[in-house]
Amino acid sequence: MHTMLEQHYQRKLDDAFGFMFEPELMQEIIRIGQARTFREGDLMMDIGQAITHLPLLLEGAVKIMREDSQGDELLLYYLERGDTCAMSFSCCMSTKKSRVRATVEEDSEMVLVPLAYLDKWLGDFPTWKAYVFQSIDARMNEFLESIDSLAFLRMDERLAKYLRNKVMVTGSMEIRTTHQEIAIDLHTSRVVVSRLLKQLEKEGLVQLSRNLITVRTMDLAR
DNA sequence: ACATTAAGTGATT
DNA sequence: AATCACTTAATGT
């Protein structure tokens, strides 16, 4: 009945959240949460899909994308260790349906908590409340950044920012992806991405080969 | 050897 | 910056 989290997950949970949650809350999460692992490329959540649980990221990275009615996508932000999905908060209050798509960027581990506890814990644990508000704040800032990029930055600047962010999230200077993938994330065409990347290569900022972009410097700005 | 997929490029809008 | 049309390069069968 009480399938507590395995030691392995308990340790990782502690690494990612232990410093900010009180011990009683950690015990609750261990008692109630279910551990899940996802492989790179997995579709965790799609638009229109019902949200029943709140994910607490222990490891890996998840890409959050928006899609319009014509099926055109745009990268919003990444979730990393210690993050949770702010969409779930909104779902808890209203629609219960996801309005974003979540795909696994890097093999990930997480603990799932039924949405009902999200609300309950707000009253029970001060650190939970602080975490939820801090998460909303962080996501709000990500949204504003996305809007700013979209509205005020040229495509070359957006690409530079994208590459920098990708290096941060993956912790590697080697970005294993295709120009087509980047084009989808930035909502532009593959040709444009190829041209801008070629330009960066000529400036010695990156090195290109098939399915691989090696970032030579983090100073990719114009 | 052939097909498929990824990337490079000139020209046009 | 987007699109077209085509080329070249890398990879899979």
Side-chain angles (χ1 to χ4, degrees), chain A residues 1-6 10 28-35:
Chain A
M1 175 74 205
H2 286 137
T3 47
M4 301 237 294
L5 292 181
E6 297 164 38
Q10 285 197 34
E28 273 288 275
I29 296 173
I30 288 166
R31 191 171 68 82
I32 283 151
Q34 326 162 215

Side-chain angles (χ1 to χ4, degrees), chain A residues 5 9 13 16-17 20-21 29 32-38 43-46 49-64 77-92 98 100-104 108-118 121 128 131-132 134-136 139:
Chain A
L5 292 181
Y9 290 106
L13 183 71
F17 295 91
M20 59 178 156
F21 291 160
I29 296 173
I32 283 151
Q34 326 162 215
R36 287 292 308 273
T37 74
F38 287 94
L43 179 65
M44 261 184 64
M45 176 63 58
D46 207 350
Q49 205 174 320
I51 296 184
T52 58
H53 291 73
L54 181 76
L56 299 172
L57 262 279
L58 305 183
E59 196 165 291
V62 179
K63 184 159 95 170
I64 307 297
Y77 53 82
Y78 293 99
L79 294 181
E80 298 172 79
R81 173 203 315 233
D83 285 343
T84 187
C85 175
M87 192 75 234
S88 308
F89 302 150
S90 135
C91 289
C92 192
S98 179
V100 297
R101 168 173 300 150
T103 54
V104 178
S108 296
E109 293 182 0
M110 65 198 68
V111 171
L112 297 180
V113 176
L115 274 191
Y117 290 92
L118 194 166
W121 291 347
W128 177 254
Y131 174 67
V132 168
Q134 176 261 307
S135 298
I136 291 171
R139 252 7 103 188

Side-chain angles (χ1 to χ4, degrees), chain A residues 20-22 24-25 120-134:
Chain A
M20 59 178 156
F21 291 160
E22 55 257 75
E24 299 77 24
L25 175 53
K120 181 181 187 304
W121 291 347
L122 282 178
D124 295 352
F125 304 105
T127 56
W128 177 254
K129 189 173 180 177
Y131 174 67
V132 168
F133 275 90
Q134 176 261 307

Side-chain angles (χ1 to χ4, degrees), chain A residues 33 37 44 55 94 127 167 183 194 202 217:
Chain A
T37 74
M44 261 184 64
S94 54
T127 56
V167 167
S194 292
K202 277 176 188 154
T217 168

Side-chain angles (χ1 to χ4, degrees), chain A residues 41-203:
Chain A
D42 285 354
L43 179 65
M44 261 184 64
M45 176 63 58
D46 207 350
I47 294 158
Q49 205 174 320
I51 296 184
T52 58
H53 291 73
L54 181 76
L56 299 172
L57 262 279
L58 305 183
E59 196 165 291
V62 179
K63 184 159 95 170
I64 307 297
M65 314 258 326
R66 189 80 173 112
E67 192 190 64
D68 72 8
S69 47
Q70 281 101 62
D72 296 319
E73 297 183 296
L74 176 70
L75 171 67
L76 290 180
Y77 53 82
Y78 293 99
L79 294 181
E80 298 172 79
R81 173 203 315 233
D83 285 343
T84 187
C85 175
M87 192 75 234
S88 308
F89 302 150
S90 135
C91 289
C92 192
M93 290 183 285
S94 54
T95 68
K96 310 277 188 201
K97 297 271 168 70
S98 179
R99 276 160 289 171
V100 297
R101 168 173 300 150
T103 54
V104 178
E105 179 78 8
E106 290 193 309
D107 291 0
S108 296
E109 293 182 0
M110 65 198 68
V111 171
L112 297 180
V113 176
L115 274 191
Y117 290 92
L118 194 166
D119 189 28
K120 181 181 187 304
W121 291 347
L122 282 178
D124 295 352
F125 304 105
T127 56
W128 177 254
K129 189 173 180 177
Y131 174 67
V132 168
F133 275 90
Q134 176 261 307
S135 298
I136 291 171
D137 178 55
R139 252 7 103 188
M140 193 72 84
N141 287 330
E142 298 264 22
F143 282 138
L144 290 181
E145 263 207 54
S146 295
I147 291 170
D148 287 349
S149 297
L150 212 49
F152 306 130
L153 296 185
R154 294 190 312 275
M155 192 51 79
D156 58 345
E157 296 172 301
R158 289 180 60 200
L159 177 64
K161 192 172 180 177
Y162 175 90
L163 295 175
R164 256 182 278 127
N165 194 236
K166 191 104 169 173
V167 167
M168 296 292 229
V169 169
T170 61
S172 164
M173 301 291 265
E174 311 222 313
I175 299 172
R176 199 155 280 285
T177 187
T178 64
H179 298 185
Q180 181 63 62
E181 264 299 306
I182 297 174
I184 290 168
D185 287 351
L186 295 178
H187 200 178
T188 180
S189 69
R190 194 233 85 212
V191 186
V192 169
V193 171
S194 292
R195 284 214 166 95
L196 293 174
L197 280 172
K198 203 69 201 166
Q199 186 58 39
L200 289 177
E201 187 177 46
K202 277 176 188 154
E203 295 170 36

